[in-house]
Amino acid sequence: VTTIGSETEFINTLIGRFEPSPRRRNAPHEADAELIELFGGGLTGNTHLLAVTTDTISEEIETGLYRDPYQIGWMAVTASLSDLAAVGAAPLGLLISETLPEGYGSEAIEQLQEGISDGCRSARTHVLGGDTNTGQLLSITGTAIGLVYHRHRLTRRGCAPGDILYASGRLGRGNGFALAVFGNGRSGHFPGGYLPRARVREGLLLPGAATSCMDSSDGLFSTLAQLAALNRVGFRIAEAWEDALDRTSLEIVRSAGLPAWLLLAGCHGEFEQIFTVGESRRDSFTEKAGSIGWNPVEIGTVTEGPGVLLPVCGGTRNIDVAYLRNLSFRRSGGIGKYLDAILQYEHEMAKGE
Amino acid sequence: VTTIGSETEFINTLIGRFEPSPRRRNAPHEADAELIELFGGGLTGNTHLLAVTTDTISEEIETGLYRDPYQIGWMAVTASLSDLAAVGAAPLGLLISETLPEGYGSEAIEQLQEGISDGCRSARTHVLGGDTNTGQLLSITGTAIGLVYHRHRLTRRGCAPGDILYASGRLGRGNGFALAVFGNGRSGHFPGGYLPRARVREGLLLPGAATSCMDSSDGLFSTLAQLAALNRVGFRIAEAWEDALDRTSLEIVRSAGLPAWLLLAGCHGEFEQIFTVGESRRDSFTEKAGSIGWNPVEIGTVTEGPGVLLPVCGGTRNIDVAYLRNLSFRRSGGIGKYLDAILQYEHEMAKGE
C-alpha cells in the first residue's frame, strides 16, 4: 500500500537512486511485483523468474480503517498476494513480520494469526517463516514470493489502443468499506465484511493472454492513472460502468447522497486485478476464464489518450485522475472535507466543466 | 531480531500452528533463513533451494538503541543478510519496507537510504524493491532472498561432540555498543561506530565445511543455548576466550567495573556467524578461509553436554544461559537493574556456586 504525495515522491526519488540489481527484469514501478532472474548468465537456462513483493499494513491500522485483528492478518496476506497475482505468479509462500504492542491481548493475537492462516488458505499457499517483535504500535509486513515463466512476463506495461479493459471482479468494495468506517455518523458496519480474496488463481490465467495488469489496491482511478502514464495511452470507461460496482458499496454511497464514481476515485481499493486483453484474444481468454468459473468484468477500452473518459452527468468527461487520487481523507483534513471535494467535483462535471 | 519471553513463546506457539508449507526443507527454528524448494516434485531436478528471511527493526529504534538514520538503514540490511549468511546463501537481493514518521526530515530520509544502499554494497548485493508508508513510528523491514545448493544444506542442526566451535570474528561489539548507549552516564559515543558487516562472503565457504551455523544477532550465549538445545549437545568455551572479544567493547566493560563475559551474555549481538566444523575438516577449512583473507576465531568445542562451560573466576562454570538470555534491559526494569543482576551472577560464580 503506497502513499502518494510529495514526501513519498521524494522518497521514491531517493530509492530510485539505489544501484539497480542486474538480476531485476523489470524497471522500477513497472510491475506490482519485482521480477528477478534466479540464475546468472542472462535468461538462457532460466525458465522461470522469481516474483517478489513486500507490503506493510500500518497506515490502515493507525487511521482506524482496520480494527479487527482477524481482518488485519487477512489483509497483510492479501495485499502481498494480490501483487503476485498481478504478474501472474504461482506463490511459493509468504514471510510475515509482526510487530505487536506489549499487552496486545492473547485473543487478539490468536485472531490475527487466524486471519493470516485463512488468508493463505484462501489462496492455497503457506506462511514460510517470519519475525516477531514487540512495539508501541501494531504493524504487519507481508512478503510474498512466487514464480512466473519468463517467456510470459506480465507487467503493468504492454497495452495498446484497442485493447479491452477488464476488472477481475466488481469494483468499489474497498472504498465502500472505508466509507462505512469513516462516513458521517455511521456505525462502521459493512454488510458481508471486507475480506477481499487475492486473485491468485485468476492471475495464473493472465500471462500470455493479458497485455498489462495492475491490482486496484489504490482504487481504480489511481490504477488507471499509472497504467496510462506507463503505456502512454488513455482509457474509455464503458457506458454501463455502474453495473460493475459492488452492490453493497453502491447502496452506501447512494444513501449518503454521494456520486457512484466515488467508489472508483477513492484510494482504498478492492484488490481486484485491472488488466487489458487484445481484441483478437478476447474470445479465447473469456473461454479460459469461464473454465475456472470466473467472469471477468469488461469495464472499458484502451484509447490513444490522453486521459480517462467516464460517461457521467449526461456526457463523457475527461476525469482528472491525478487530482482525485491525490485527494485523501488525511490530506483533505478529514472525511468531511474529502467528501466536500468529491461533491464539488461532481458539481463541476454536471455544469459540463 | 526476536524477543524472548512468555508473550513471544505464545506467539510462536500460534505460528507453529500455521499449516506447514510442503516446500519448506527445514523445521521451524532449525535455520536462520527458511529453505524453500523452488520447483515441485521433491528435490529431483532442484539443484538449488531458495533461502528467505525477514527482519523488522523497530524495537531497537523505540528503545533508543539505534538513533542514527544511516545506522538504522544499514542494520535493516545487515540483520537480514546475516541470516542468509548463516545458511551459506548467495544473495539475490533485498526487499525493504519503510514506515516513516510524517515530518521525518529530508536529511534523515536521505541518510536512511544511504545506510540501506551502503549496507547492500558492503555485501555486493542490491535492493530489489520495496514499500513506503507513513506512520507515527519509524520502522524498517528487510527481507533477504538468496540461493543455496541443496546438496550442501547448512542449518543450525548437525554438529556433534568433538566439533570445533568458531566465531566468524571477534565477539561482543553489539553489547559493547548497547552499553555505550544505555550505560551509566555515558555519552553514547562508541569508538568506530556500530555498523557490523553481514558475513555473506564468509558464509559462502561454510556449506560442505560447517556442521551447523547460526548468527549471533541475539548474543553468543543465546546462540549457544539454541544450538545446544537443537543438537542435544553442550559447549566448552576455550580458556583464552577473552582474546576473542572486541577490544573497544572490552575496554567499556572494564572501565565500568563489569565482567568481560557480559559481552557474551547480553542480548544485543554482533552479527557474527557462530558455527562448528568437524575436527577432520579443520585444516582444509582454515586454508579455504585464509584464501579470502579471513581468520575465523576458534572459541571452543562441542561437548556431550549438557550446558555451556566457561573458564571464569578461577574455575570452569556451567553457565545458566537460559537465565542470562532472559535477562534484558527492558525486562529487568532498566539498565541499572540488569547490570546488578550481572554483577550478582559474577559474585555467585566467584563463590563457586
Side-chain angles (χ1 to χ4, degrees), chain B residues 94-118:
Chain B
L94 287 112
L95 296 170
I96 302 285
S97 185
E98 310 184 19
T99 299
L100 301 171
E102 275 188 74
Y104 200 61
S106 61
E107 205 180 314
I109 295 177
E110 280 202 67
Q111 287 168 3
L112 187 68
Q113 311 315 318
E114 213 172 293
I116 291 169
S117 192
D118 287 354

Side-chain angles (χ1 to χ4, degrees), chain B residues 35 48 53 59 66 76 126 139 149 154 165 170 179 181 189 199 209 221 284 289 306 313 329-330 349:
Chain B
L35 302 172
H48 292 75
T53 176
E59 285 180 32
Y66 299 162
H126 298 87
S139 164
Y149 285 103
L154 173 65
L165 180 68
R170 284 173 184 266
L179 212 59
V181 172
H189 177 68
R199 294 291 197 168
F221 282 177
S284 65
C313 300
F329 296 177
R330 290 170 96 181
M349 285 200 297

Side-chain angles (χ1 to χ4, degrees), chain B residues 7 67 200 210 234 259 263 266 298 331 338 348:
Chain B
E7 197 177 53
R67 295 171 200 193
V200 171
L263 297 176
E298 269 195 45
R331 250 183 301 278
Y338 172 75
E348 280 161 24

Side-chain angles (χ1 to χ4, degrees), chain A residues 262-284:
Chain A
L262 168 57
L263 296 176
L264 310 177
C267 66
H268 188 245
E270 53 283 287
F271 295 92
E272 294 294 345
Q273 298 300 329
I274 307 302
F275 59 95
T276 53
V277 173
E279 178 91 58
S280 66
R281 286 180 184 257
R282 178 198 239 149
D283 291 345
S284 65

